[in-house]
Amino acid sequence: MSKLIQKYKHAWVLLYIFIYFPCFIYLEKHVTTDFHVIYTPLDDKIPFIEYFIVPYMLWFAYIAITVIYFFFTNVKEFYRLTAFLITGMTLFLIISAVYPNGLELRPEVFARDNIFVDMVKQLYRTDTPTNVLPSIHVFNSIGAAIAIMQSQRLKSKKYIQYGSLILSLLIILSTMFLKQHSVIDVIAAGIIATVCYSFIYAGAPKKQPKFSHQPI
């Protein structure tokens, strides 16, 4: 048992969910009517396409599988991925707390009636159109794609790397085609992801040689 604990001691990072979810639920319950509306005219030019509910829902499995994969295969890459995700998710909570925000983009009437529309209706019932800036769907998708592309173990598995990029792009598009997010939310997530990447991934290789040449 002690060997198992020692091997997977990096699981402590996952305790963050006990901080994130209570804060997120609190914001969802308290930010309901009095909020800043996120909107750009470009949002009106993006059509509602219910079929994007499929990649939108795949996001949950995508992020979970990516985190689990690195948890069991590479501790260093696991720490980088979770540092990326936790940084963005924490910034999301702070922004939502100091700048309550929401959307008024969801359609009231649907042009079609099918299983995908039913799934979207269920999503709308369970997920309020508030606390949307930046989009965590977008940010975490970018983070997962970066982790997979940066993985040394997955360098030879191009179908996985490119598959993750395609899925990430579809998820990002889904947030706008389902009217779950404004273009502004997507851009904000992209900007934060770029900054996080520069600190967590881009800066890491430059530091490694310095440490490798330190005298023992």
Side-chain angles (χ1 to χ4, degrees), residues 157-177:
K157 296 179 173 58
K158 296 300 181 184
Y159 63 95
I160 293 179
Q161 292 190 322
Y162 291 124
S164 72
L165 287 176
I166 293 172
L167 178 57
S168 294
L169 177 60
L170 289 174
I171 291 172
I172 292 170
L173 291 174
S174 74
T175 64
M176 294 178 286
F177 283 119

Side-chain angles (χ1 to χ4, degrees), residues 9 21 27 69 78 82 91 121 127 154 156 164 170 196:
K9 61 183 179 181
F21 282 115
L27 290 170
Y69 173 80
F78 169 77
T82 52
L91 287 173
K121 289 179 180 178
D127 185 22
L154 296 176
S156 60
S164 72
L170 289 174
C196 289

Side-chain angles (χ1 to χ4, degrees), residues 16-37:
Y16 177 75
I17 63 175
F18 296 106
I19 298 174
Y20 178 78
F21 282 115
C23 292
F24 177 78
I25 292 171
Y26 175 85
L27 290 170
E28 283 288 282
K29 289 183 177 180
H30 289 80
V31 180
T32 55
T33 55
D34 187 16
F35 56 80
H36 298 84
V37 177

Side-chain angles (χ1 to χ4, degrees), residues 4 7 21 24 26-27 55 60 73 76-78 85 87 91 96 106 109 121 154-155 157 166 177 190 192:
L4 192 64
K7 183 178 181 180
F21 282 115
F24 177 78
Y26 175 85
L27 290 170
F60 297 96
T73 60
K76 186 184 225 179
E77 293 179 351
F78 169 77
L85 300 182
T87 299
L91 287 173
S96 297
R106 292 179 174 182
V109 178
K121 289 179 180 178
L154 296 176
K155 287 290 185 184
K157 296 179 173 58
I166 293 172
F177 283 119
I192 295 175

Side-chain angles (χ1 to χ4, degrees), residues 126-145:
T126 57
D127 185 22
T128 66
T130 57
N131 308 309
V132 295
L133 179 71
S135 168
I136 289 300
H137 254 66
V138 172
F139 179 85
N140 284 2
S141 295
I142 294 174

Side-chain angles (χ1 to χ4, degrees), residues 178-199:
L178 293 180
K179 301 302 177 179
Q180 280 290 90
H181 285 283
S182 164
V183 172
I184 295 174
D185 305 329
V186 174
I187 293 174
I191 292 173
I192 295 175
T194 300
V195 174
C196 289
Y197 173 82
S198 66
F199 282 101

Side-chain angles (χ1 to χ4, degrees), residues 7-8 10 66-82 147 150-154 201 208:
K7 183 178 181 180
Y8 297 115
H10 51 291
T66 303
V67 171
I68 292 171
Y69 173 80
F70 287 108
F71 176 84
F72 286 108
T73 60
N74 191 303
V75 175
K76 186 184 225 179
E77 293 179 351
F78 169 77
Y79 275 134
R80 285 184 185 172
L81 170 62
T82 52
Q150 292 283 326
S151 172
Q152 292 299 317
R153 189 168 183 170
L154 296 176
Y201 284 97
Q208 289 174 356

